Amino acid sequence: MKVVEFVNGLRKELLELQEKAEVEAHVRILLEYYLGYNRAQIQLNGQETIKPEKLAKLQAAVEQLKSKRPLDYIIEESVFLGYPFYVNESVLIPRSETEELVMMVASEEQDLEISILDIGTGSGCIPIGLAKEKNYRQIDGCEVSEAALEVARINAQKLKVEVGLFQLDILNSIPAQKYEVVVSNPPYVLKEEIEGLDAQVKEYEPIIALTPEGGPLLFYKRMIQLADQLLNEGGRFYWEIHEDLGEEVCTLFKGKPFKKVQLHQDMYGRDRFVTAVFSP
């Protein structure tokens, strides 16, 4: 089969399931991943015949796309802050909001001698992203899932950064040291929202990383409870939150030893981040 024939057939199949912009993105990514073609080469090499073994892989990928499996899991790669992260179904696919969280920390925290902990690190995108942005003295990530932790380790090695990665259930244990900064994108999706999520999310991404058993504020409450064991005096929390729970998260700090509790919006104007300073 020629490249142009495959592309035309792929577009026709996917347009029945996806919006045009998404289809074009998937066509570009698939041909770049399996054939090594960039956008211009797709046009230039349209009359080339795809080798049978590569065509088989492309067709298998298309069938997975049609079953709603996310493309990032199919090619086992997700781009975060411009870097290619390895992903599988043990971890969430990194989102653009989390990129904003990383850049917020990197922008606000100019002292390179600080220590930073990411709680619930998943693919490791937060600590690794921070390590790529700034040469902080210490950046760690903890994670309850050993399978997810292995993905983070692969990414740290792949992207050549030094980050500490260790297994920890923050709901039942505490880290061995305190930090100047604790950042987290914990599970916060409401249980009643799960059924309404796209099939790509609810059928393939790990539910444990999406919604907590004890309600959407569970992890925030736990981190506040442990603040004096997580943060040095003057230490900072940086959290990603559910866009509908900004005021509820901020209210958790009332009567507690914190100052400068702030609710931040993402690039679309949605309440997506909370920061606070520990001041006992």
Side-chain angles (χ1 to χ4, degrees), residues 53-64:
E53 63 272 19
K54 290 187 176 182
L55 180 60
K57 290 179 180 179
L58 277 164
Q59 291 173 330
V62 172
E63 289 306 307
Q64 291 182 73

Side-chain angles (χ1 to χ4, degrees), residues 95-106:
R95 266 59 168 190
S96 60
E97 306 90 75
T98 310
E99 290 181 316
E100 292 188 59
L101 178 63
V102 169
M103 296 310 297
M104 180 189 297
V105 176

Side-chain angles (χ1 to χ4, degrees), residues 5 7 23 38 66 70 76 96 106 144 149 153 171-172 263:
E5 294 171 335
V7 169
V23 169
N38 60 32
K66 288 163 64 177
E76 296 188 327
S96 60
V144 66
L149 205 56
R153 293 189 183 110
L171 295 179
N172 295 292
L263 180 60

Side-chain angles (χ1 to χ4, degrees), residues 123-180:
S123 65
C125 63
I126 290 177
I128 293 169
L130 284 170
K132 298 296 278 188
E133 291 296 318
K134 291 281 186 69
N135 188 29
Y136 292 114
R137 175 177 62 83
Q138 180 183 0
I139 307 177
D140 293 342
C142 66
E143 169 62 53
V144 66
S145 164
E146 180 58 40
L149 205 56
E150 181 57 29
V151 172
R153 293 189 183 110
I154 290 170
N155 282 319
Q157 183 177 22
K158 176 182 180 180
L159 295 170
K160 298 180 172 60
V161 297
E162 292 290 333
V163 295
L165 297 166
F166 57 93
Q167 189 171 23
L168 182 82
D169 177 3
I170 195 64
L171 295 179
N172 295 292
S173 303
I174 57 173
Q177 69 168 86
K178 297 181 183 180
Y179 294 81
E180 275 75 54

